[in-house]
Amino acid sequence: MGTSYIPKDVYTICTFQQDAEPRQLIPTRSSITVFYGADRTRPLLTVEDRNINREFPCKSPKNAMWSFLCFGAGLLAGIALLSNPIGWAVALGIGVATLSIAAGVYEATQIKHKCSGSLGAGNWKIQHDSVRFDTYKSITHNSMLLCDAGGILTPIFSYSVARKNAALIKSNNNKEIFVNAAASFFGGAGAVISVAEMGFIATAKWAAATMAFMHIGTTAEKEIIRSTAMEENLHYQNMNEQVDPNSLIPGYIKDPTATTPGDLSSPDIFNVGRDGVSAPYFINPFWYIRDIKGNIIQIQQGTQLAKDLNALKNIDSRKIWQTAEGKQIVENIRSGKYPSSMVSASRDGTGTVRPRNLPLLEKALPEVKKQNIRNIGQAGVKGSGFIAFVFPFVATYFSEKSRQILANAMAEDADNGVKIIAVDAP
């Protein structure tokens, strides 16, 4: 039954679906004269028939929704973590974050309303080349519909097989979306911190280099998975070779409107122009680790400064500089044991540390504590961003897994189908 023709209402599942319920294939061609069954209610389907009885909630807009929302949230978090943000830069960052969140809200409206148009613009692959119904090539049990949004659909006769594998695809797609959303958040927060530390031009170079590197890396990952997995499953091999072959051309090049913040990948893994180095692009995680270490040192120093300043709270401000605690703080400032940005109030116009300025420093204690929290946040963003470097590879694994689930469903359903006997219409 592996080459059974497909009548109307046969179940179908999609690699991009976001619920656990199969749909049913329906005809869309204008003229129908070939049916399955004497009651003539179920047309036999062709390559011209590319729709389903009701929409699938689609992974593509849901992934875009969470990517944009999390990227916008990351931008706002990054702005909040800046030490001395410039007014126009904050306004620009908030503007971009607002646009990103608005894009996410728009994509949310497309989750259940994108299927029909994308299916209509798609194409059936592995159709029957010699049998036509109403002048169109017929589709069979082995056929797959490549949706314009990127999903792959296939006929499944057994409801139980379709339902079971639809649930597996839904679960798998949710994991992929979560990983992309996390990468987008850290990408947004990391981008703000990167612009603050490196400048806009260097950060733009970083983004371009990261996108190129990640696409090459994930394309290689796909190739390894597809060439080594499920070698005995003909449907999976056909999917890889004839339906949806691997490509070095990124999707955001083919369709720029489909670009999401998740394509930016992990923040700051490419370091551009640090330490005065002018080489355009190269991976240097050692600089990255050094930056995280620098934040940790500032956190330790800021914590110590806050602790030392707390000891001055109950001392007469006019006598602070005479106390042992005050003298020790002055010595620590002069020897560089506190972050310079936190002790600027202790210096006069020439940059000299003056004991008499300690009361001003004590009054700055709340800001010192806030800055320490910012340093903790920046270190967290950088550390998480470094881990998030692997997220695109994890997301690719889940994406490929959905394709494998579909191929397994086709193999499991292979013995089902319908028997066709040609009968002239009355």
Side-chain angles (χ1 to χ4, degrees), residues 209-410:
T210 302
M211 291 174 72
F213 175 83
M214 277 302 175
H215 179 69
I216 293 172
T218 53
T219 299
E221 179 189 8
K222 290 179 185 178
E223 195 62 34
I224 292 171
I225 292 173
R226 296 183 185 188
S227 62
T228 58
M230 301 175 63
E231 295 179 356
E232 302 302 318
N233 189 309
L234 180 62
H235 305 292
Y236 185 61
Q237 303 308 319
N238 287 341
M239 188 184 301
N240 296 334
E241 296 168 8
Q242 301 182 49
V243 179
D244 181 32
N246 203 5
S247 174
L248 265 175
I249 302 176
Y252 50 79
I253 296 295
K254 298 177 181 177
D255 182 11
T257 62
T259 306
T260 69
D263 294 317
L264 295 176
S265 182
S266 167
D268 214 18
I269 193 63
F270 273 82
N271 293 268
V272 187
R274 295 286 183 89
D275 292 343
V277 177
S278 59
Y281 314 120
F282 54 93
I283 302 175
N284 195 331
F286 299 107
W287 279 349
Y288 194 86
I289 294 171
R290 181 211 62 185
D291 285 351
I292 297 174
K293 185 177 179 181
N295 277 115
I296 292 173
I297 292 172
Q298 285 199 358
I299 292 167
Q300 294 170 337
Q301 291 177 337
T303 301
Q304 185 61 50
L305 174 60
K307 180 180 178 181
D308 293 344
L309 289 177
N310 271 322
L312 304 180
K313 277 189 172 182
N314 299 320
I315 300 175
D316 187 332
S317 60
R318 293 169 296 182
K319 298 180 180 180
I320 285 178
W321 65 274
Q322 296 175 336
T323 65
E325 294 87 352
K327 291 177 181 179
Q328 186 60 56
I329 290 174
V330 171
E331 179 59 31
N332 288 344
I333 294 173
R334 288 173 174 171
S335 60
K337 291 186 178 180
Y338 302 131
S340 59
S341 62
M342 293 185 179
V343 293
S344 58
S346 67
R347 304 179 187 277
D348 62 15
T350 64
T352 304
V353 178
R354 300 294 184 186
R356 64 173 181 267
N357 289 335
L358 284 182
L360 297 176
L361 191 59
E362 190 269 334
K363 291 180 181 178
L365 180 59
E367 184 56 36
V368 168
K369 292 180 177 179
K370 289 180 183 178
Q371 182 56 45
N372 213 40
I373 293 173
R374 292 189 192 103
N375 281 328
I376 293 172
Q378 288 185 23
V381 167
K382 290 179 180 179
S384 300
F386 190 71
I387 296 171
F389 177 68
V390 303
F391 282 12
F393 298 98
V394 177
T396 297
Y397 167 81
F398 287 126
S399 178
E400 289 298 303
K401 188 66 177 178
S402 291
R403 300 167 81 261
Q404 293 174 5
I405 293 170
L406 187 75
N408 279 329
M410 294 180 72

Side-chain angles (χ1 to χ4, degrees), residues 4-7 10-11 42 141 155-159 413 416-418:
S4 172
Y5 299 112
I6 308 301
V10 167
Y11 297 108
R42 298 182 69 188
H141 213 166
I156 302 290
F157 280 88
S158 166
Y159 175 77
D413 193 57
N416 300 314
V418 296

